[in-house]
């Protein structure tokens, strides 16, 4: 399909510049081709499409409650249908070059950038094993965004399909890895193959891959057991007993239950638990992981202020960082959902 792209032209003024380019539009079965008559968007979005000369643009979804999106290689845009418009077009009448006014357009679709976050949909789909291409074909987001969310999920790629490891087996596999792996191979640098070969008689491949993904970091040449991820795993077990602990008691229990390769520190709890002053002489620690909060900005801020009525900027940053991305700045979120005030020289934020 051929695009005629106008830069500017707002407020009834004639567009000062136009460009023409071609790219393939691949339309999913759920979208009727005649639904797309005009594409209108901001300059940033159109500049993005301009870079797709010879590339592909996908239209996904079906008109209705779920909506339709347009996807470039790495970005997703919402498609909004305008039922009425007073726009008219001057179009070619024939190959001779004569032009005529085509008429008033009664169906216009405007593209607006969307977050493209599909984490919840991926979590639901992972109850059954699917290939990567199945996710890309069925989710309303770009390929790059879907791949990023798959990597960030709890799922693992096994024999060409994404599988969801059993949490209990993953935890058990960690204990086996720490006990046997330290003798059989180097926990600071080992490969998936080494882990599967040495520990395969104790756990399934999916469970071991889940253990590597949950508790290890990628390094040059393989993986390394992450002290932070291991420490938080043992912290989670303590929080399974009590959501809130006296600070000193929690730290003592945490240090005693962690393996020798891990030295727990309070900084490890950032974005995972809240340390608060429960009285003038004592503190408490409460389980409140950022990863468990909604990814919708209104819902996340609602959950934050339900947990505690006011937040300082550094702590708030830890909990809204997952919402940030192209076109979504921290300052914008804070100004939209919070109100700032100062207490004892410190900036604090409360619900707007």
């Amino acid at each position: 399909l051929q695009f005629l792209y106008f830069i500017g032209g707002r407020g009834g003024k004639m567009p000062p510049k136009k460009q023409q380019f071609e790219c393939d539009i691949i339309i999913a079965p759920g979208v009727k081709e005649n639904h797309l008559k005009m594409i209108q968007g901001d300059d940033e979005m159109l500049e993005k499409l301009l870079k797709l000369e010879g590339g592909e643009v996908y239209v996904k979804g079906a008109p209705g409650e779920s909506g339709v999106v347009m996807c470039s290689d790495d970005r997703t845009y919402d498609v909004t249908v305008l039922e009425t418009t007073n726009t008219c077009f001057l179009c070619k009448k024939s190959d001779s070059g004569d032009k005529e006014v085509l008429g008033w357009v009664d169906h216009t679709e405007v593209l607006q950038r969307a977050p493209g976050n599909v984490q919840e949909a991926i979590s639901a789909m992972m109850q059954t094993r699917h290939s990567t291409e199945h996710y890309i074909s069925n989710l309303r987001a770009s390929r790059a965004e879907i791949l990023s969310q798959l990597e960030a999920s709890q799922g693992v790629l096994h024999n060409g399909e994404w599988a969801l490891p059993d949490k209990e087996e993953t935890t058990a596999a960690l204990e086996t890895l720490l006990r046997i792996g330290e003798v059989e191979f180097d926990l600071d640098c080992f490969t998936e193959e080494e882990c599967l070969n040495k520990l395969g008689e104790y756990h399934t491949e999916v469970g071991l891959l889940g253990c590597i993904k949950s508790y290890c970091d990628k390094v040059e040449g393989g993986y390394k057991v992450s002290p932070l991820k291991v420490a938080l795993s043992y912290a989670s077990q303590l929080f399974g007993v009590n959501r809130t602990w006296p600070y000193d008691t929690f730290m003592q229990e945490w240090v005693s239950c962690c393996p020798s390769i891990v030295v727990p520190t309070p900084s490890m709890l950032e974005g995972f638990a809240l340390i608060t002053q429960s009285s003038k002489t004592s503190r408490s620690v409460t389980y409140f992981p950022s990863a468990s909060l909604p990814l919708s900005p209104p819902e996340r801020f609602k959950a934050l202020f339900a947990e505690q009525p006011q937040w300082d900027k550094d702590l708030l940053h830890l909990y809204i960082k997952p919402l940030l991305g192209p076109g979504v700045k921290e300052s914008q979120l804070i100004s939209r959902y919070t109100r700032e005030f100062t207490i004892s020289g410190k900036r604090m934020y409360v619900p707007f």
Side-chain angles (χ1 to χ4, degrees), residues 337-351:
Y337 297 104
T338 73
R339 180 170 54 85
E340 180 183 323
F341 74 99
T342 303
I343 181 171
S344 300
K346 188 175 185 180
R347 286 190 297 175
M348 303 294 292
Y349 296 88
V350 296

Side-chain angles (χ1 to χ4, degrees), residues 3-21 39-51:
F3 284 79
L4 189 61
Y5 165 42
F6 290 97
I7 298 178
R10 294 187 177 90
K13 298 179 181 179
M14 290 297 293
K17 183 174 69 172
K18 66 180 181 180
Q19 298 184 38
Q20 193 166 321
F21 71 101
I39 298 174
Q40 177 185 339
D42 59 27
D43 288 349
E44 182 181 356
M45 182 275 292
L46 292 171
E47 289 280 11
K48 182 69 179 177
L49 292 181
L50 270 178
K51 296 178 182 178

Side-chain angles (χ1 to χ4, degrees), residues 86-116:
N86 59 1
T87 304
C88 60
F89 292 96
L90 190 64
C91 298
K92 284 185 179 180
K93 182 178 181 181
S94 65
D95 293 335
S96 64
D98 296 332
K99 295 182 174 69
E100 68 173 5
V101 175
L102 182 64
W104 303 105
V105 179
D106 59 3
H107 189 115
T108 303
E109 298 196 338
V110 180
L111 276 69
Q112 188 174 15
R113 194 164 32 153

Side-chain angles (χ1 to χ4, degrees), residues 48 52 59 70 91 159 169-170 208 210 247 269 284 298 321 326:
K48 182 69 179 177
L52 290 174
V59 178
M70 174 174 276
C91 298
N159 293 334
E169 184 184 13
T170 300
L208 290 171
Y247 175 79
L269 296 174
S284 63
K321 188 165 59 172

Side-chain angles (χ1 to χ4, degrees), residues 37 47 76 109 120 134 142 158 175 190-191 196 213 223 229 241 266 310 326-327 346 351:
K37 293 186 178 180
E47 289 280 11
T76 303
E109 298 196 338
E120 292 181 3
H134 180 87
S142 68
H158 179 247
E175 295 179 358
F190 62 91
T191 64
L196 297 180
K213 184 171 186 177
Y223 293 88
K229 294 177 180 178
V241 178
Q310 58 189 39
K346 188 175 185 180

Side-chain angles (χ1 to χ4, degrees), residues 12-13 42 51 68 73 100 114 116 122 124 137 158 165-166 168 184 193 203 207 216 221 230-231 249 259 266 322:
K13 298 179 181 179
D42 59 27
K51 296 178 182 178
V68 176
D73 56 340
E100 68 173 5
I122 286 178
S137 299
H158 179 247
D166 178 76
E168 290 186 3
E184 296 291 337
E193 185 178 3
H203 305 283
C216 301
V230 173
T249 304

Side-chain angles (χ1 to χ4, degrees), residues 129-132 156-163 196 205-206 209:
R129 295 177 66 136
H130 298 291
S131 67
T132 301
V156 296
L157 191 60
H158 179 247
N159 293 334
E161 295 180 324
W162 288 88
L196 297 180
E205 289 190 353
V206 170
L209 292 173

Side-chain angles (χ1 to χ4, degrees), residues 215 217 225-233 254 262 267-269:
Y215 305 118
D217 293 326
V225 172
S226 166
L228 171 62
K229 294 177 180 178
V230 173
L232 293 182
S233 172
W254 193 20
V262 176
S267 63
M268 290 180 170
L269 296 174

